[in-house]
PDB file of all heavy atoms in Angstrom:
ATOM      1  N   HIS A  97      15.141  75.085  64.455  1.00  0.00           N
ATOM      2  CA  HIS A  97      15.708  73.747  64.378  1.00  0.00           C
ATOM      3  C   HIS A  97      14.662  72.656  64.262  1.00  0.00           C
ATOM      4  O   HIS A  97      14.988  71.506  64.064  1.00  0.00           O
ATOM      5  CB  HIS A  97      16.625  73.474  65.571  1.00  0.00           C
ATOM      6  CG  HIS A  97      15.891  73.424  66.876  1.00  0.00           C
ATOM      7  ND1 HIS A  97      15.523  74.557  67.546  1.00  0.00           N
ATOM      8  CD2 HIS A  97      15.458  72.378  67.613  1.00  0.00           C
ATOM      9  CE1 HIS A  97      14.895  74.203  68.665  1.00  0.00           C
ATOM     10  NE2 HIS A  97      14.848  72.907  68.720  1.00  0.00           N
ATOM     11  N   CYS A  98      13.391  72.991  64.399  1.00  0.00           N
ATOM     12  CA  CYS A  98      12.387  71.931  64.248  1.00  0.00           C
ATOM     13  C   CYS A  98      11.284  72.332  63.282  1.00  0.00           C
ATOM     14  O   CYS A  98      10.175  71.846  63.358  1.00  0.00           O
ATOM     15  CB  CYS A  98      11.810  71.538  65.596  1.00  0.00           C
ATOM     16  SG  CYS A  98      11.546  72.895  66.688  1.00  0.00           S
ATOM     17  N   LEU A  99      11.587  73.224  62.350  1.00  0.00           N
ATOM     18  CA  LEU A  99      10.600  73.669  61.372  1.00  0.00           C
ATOM     19  C   LEU A  99      10.804  72.947  60.058  1.00  0.00           C
ATOM     20  O   LEU A  99      11.884  73.018  59.525  1.00  0.00           O
ATOM     21  CB  LEU A  99      10.848  75.159  61.129  1.00  0.00           C
ATOM     22  CG  LEU A  99       9.683  76.088  61.400  1.00  0.00           C
ATOM     23  CD1 LEU A  99      10.129  77.497  61.243  1.00  0.00           C
ATOM     24  CD2 LEU A  99       8.521  75.786  60.527  1.00  0.00           C
ATOM     25  N   THR A 100       9.818  72.205  59.542  1.00  0.00           N
ATOM     26  CA  THR A 100       9.907  71.764  58.143  1.00  0.00           C
ATOM     27  C   THR A 100       8.513  71.789  57.562  1.00  0.00           C
ATOM     28  O   THR A 100       7.563  72.227  58.194  1.00  0.00           O
ATOM     29  CB  THR A 100      10.439  70.324  57.962  1.00  0.00           C
ATOM     30  OG1 THR A 100       9.387  69.418  58.254  1.00  0.00           O
ATOM     31  CG2 THR A 100      11.649  70.043  58.755  1.00  0.00           C
ATOM     32  N   ASP A 101       8.407  71.235  56.366  1.00  0.00           N
ATOM     33  CA  ASP A 101       7.135  71.236  55.668  1.00  0.00           C
ATOM     34  C   ASP A 101       6.221  70.110  56.121  1.00  0.00           C
ATOM     35  O   ASP A 101       5.226  69.900  55.486  1.00  0.00           O
ATOM     36  CB  ASP A 101       7.400  71.061  54.176  1.00  0.00           C
ATOM     37  CG  ASP A 101       7.703  72.388  53.532  1.00  0.00           C
ATOM     38  OD1 ASP A 101       7.660  73.414  54.205  1.00  0.00           O
ATOM     39  OD2 ASP A 101       7.973  72.363  52.355  1.00  0.00           O
ATOM     40  N   ALA A 102       6.569  69.319  57.082  1.00  0.00           N
ATOM     41  CA  ALA A 102       5.777  68.119  57.321  1.00  0.00           C
ATOM     42  C   ALA A 102       5.217  67.993  58.722  1.00  0.00           C
ATOM     43  O   ALA A 102       5.319  66.963  59.325  1.00  0.00           O
ATOM     44  CB  ALA A 102       6.613  66.914  56.970  1.00  0.00           C
ATOM     45  N   SER A 103       4.642  69.043  59.287  1.00  0.00           N
ATOM     46  CA  SER A 103       4.092  68.904  60.632  1.00  0.00           C
ATOM     47  C   SER A 103       2.943  69.850  60.897  1.00  0.00           C
ATOM     48  O   SER A 103       2.720  70.769  60.178  1.00  0.00           O
ATOM     49  CB  SER A 103       5.136  69.248  61.674  1.00  0.00           C
ATOM     50  OG  SER A 103       6.388  68.979  61.240  1.00  0.00           O
ATOM     51  N   PHE A 104       2.248  69.629  61.999  1.00  0.00           N
ATOM     52  CA  PHE A 104       1.381  70.674  62.513  1.00  0.00           C
ATOM     53  C   PHE A 104       1.481  70.632  64.032  1.00  0.00           C
ATOM     54  O   PHE A 104       1.894  69.657  64.617  1.00  0.00           O
ATOM     55  CB  PHE A 104      -0.055  70.504  62.011  1.00  0.00           C
ATOM     56  CG  PHE A 104      -0.845  69.491  62.740  1.00  0.00           C
ATOM     57  CD1 PHE A 104      -1.965  69.849  63.455  1.00  0.00           C
ATOM     58  CD2 PHE A 104      -0.459  68.171  62.722  1.00  0.00           C
ATOM     59  CE1 PHE A 104      -2.691  68.909  64.124  1.00  0.00           C
ATOM     60  CE2 PHE A 104      -1.191  67.228  63.380  1.00  0.00           C
ATOM     61  CZ  PHE A 104      -2.314  67.595  64.083  1.00  0.00           C
ATOM     62  N   ILE A 105       1.143  71.721  64.689  1.00  0.00           N
ATOM     63  CA  ILE A 105       1.484  71.826  66.114  1.00  0.00           C
ATOM     64  C   ILE A 105       0.344  72.405  66.919  1.00  0.00           C
ATOM     65  O   ILE A 105      -0.395  73.241  66.456  1.00  0.00           O
ATOM     66  CB  ILE A 105       2.748  72.713  66.273  1.00  0.00           C
ATOM     67  CG1 ILE A 105       3.130  72.837  67.745  1.00  0.00           C
ATOM     68  CG2 ILE A 105       2.544  74.073  65.731  1.00  0.00           C
ATOM     69  CD1 ILE A 105       3.502  71.583  68.372  1.00  0.00           C
ATOM     70  N   PHE A 106       0.235  71.932  68.129  1.00  0.00           N
ATOM     71  CA  PHE A 106      -0.676  72.517  69.087  1.00  0.00           C
ATOM     72  C   PHE A 106       0.089  73.574  69.863  1.00  0.00           C
ATOM     73  O   PHE A 106       1.223  73.361  70.215  1.00  0.00           O
ATOM     74  CB  PHE A 106      -1.098  71.470  70.104  1.00  0.00           C
ATOM     75  CG  PHE A 106      -1.841  70.350  69.501  1.00  0.00           C
ATOM     76  CD1 PHE A 106      -1.181  69.389  68.778  1.00  0.00           C
ATOM     77  CD2 PHE A 106      -3.195  70.253  69.663  1.00  0.00           C
ATOM     78  CE1 PHE A 106      -1.860  68.351  68.223  1.00  0.00           C
ATOM     79  CE2 PHE A 106      -3.872  69.206  69.108  1.00  0.00           C
ATOM     80  CZ  PHE A 106      -3.212  68.264  68.393  1.00  0.00           C
ATOM     81  N   TYR A 107      -0.508  74.660  70.170  1.00  0.00           N
ATOM     82  CA  TYR A 107       0.078  75.514  71.194  1.00  0.00           C
ATOM     83  C   TYR A 107      -1.059  76.219  71.905  1.00  0.00           C
ATOM     84  O   TYR A 107      -2.152  76.375  71.384  1.00  0.00           O
ATOM     85  CB  TYR A 107       1.083  76.518  70.608  1.00  0.00           C
ATOM     86  CG  TYR A 107       0.600  77.247  69.415  1.00  0.00           C
ATOM     87  CD1 TYR A 107      -0.260  78.329  69.532  1.00  0.00           C
ATOM     88  CD2 TYR A 107       0.987  76.833  68.157  1.00  0.00           C
ATOM     89  CE1 TYR A 107      -0.722  78.977  68.418  1.00  0.00           C
ATOM     90  CE2 TYR A 107       0.537  77.489  67.045  1.00  0.00           C
ATOM     91  CZ  TYR A 107      -0.312  78.563  67.177  1.00  0.00           C
ATOM     92  OH  TYR A 107      -0.759  79.196  66.073  1.00  0.00           O
ATOM     93  N   SER A 108      -0.818  76.627  73.122  1.00  0.00           N
ATOM     94  CA  SER A 108      -1.911  77.166  73.888  1.00  0.00           C
ATOM     95  C   SER A 108      -1.562  78.533  74.410  1.00  0.00           C
ATOM     96  O   SER A 108      -0.464  78.786  74.846  1.00  0.00           O
ATOM     97  CB  SER A 108      -2.197  76.220  75.046  1.00  0.00           C
ATOM     98  OG  SER A 108      -2.044  76.864  76.258  1.00  0.00           O
ATOM     99  N   THR A 109      -2.498  79.419  74.260  1.00  0.00           N
ATOM    100  CA  THR A 109      -2.380  80.740  74.857  1.00  0.00           C
ATOM    101  C   THR A 109      -3.725  81.418  74.706  1.00  0.00           C
ATOM    102  O   THR A 109      -4.413  81.217  73.734  1.00  0.00           O
ATOM    103  CB  THR A 109      -1.262  81.569  74.173  1.00  0.00           C
ATOM    104  OG1 THR A 109      -1.304  82.880  74.681  1.00  0.00           O
ATOM    105  CG2 THR A 109      -1.406  81.616  72.689  1.00  0.00           C
TER     106      THR A 109
END
Side-chain angles (χ1 to χ4, degrees):
H97 66 280
C98 39
L99 238 175
T100 78
D101 275 357
S103 331
F104 80 117
I105 180 63
F106 297 75
Y107 48 79
S108 120
T109 173

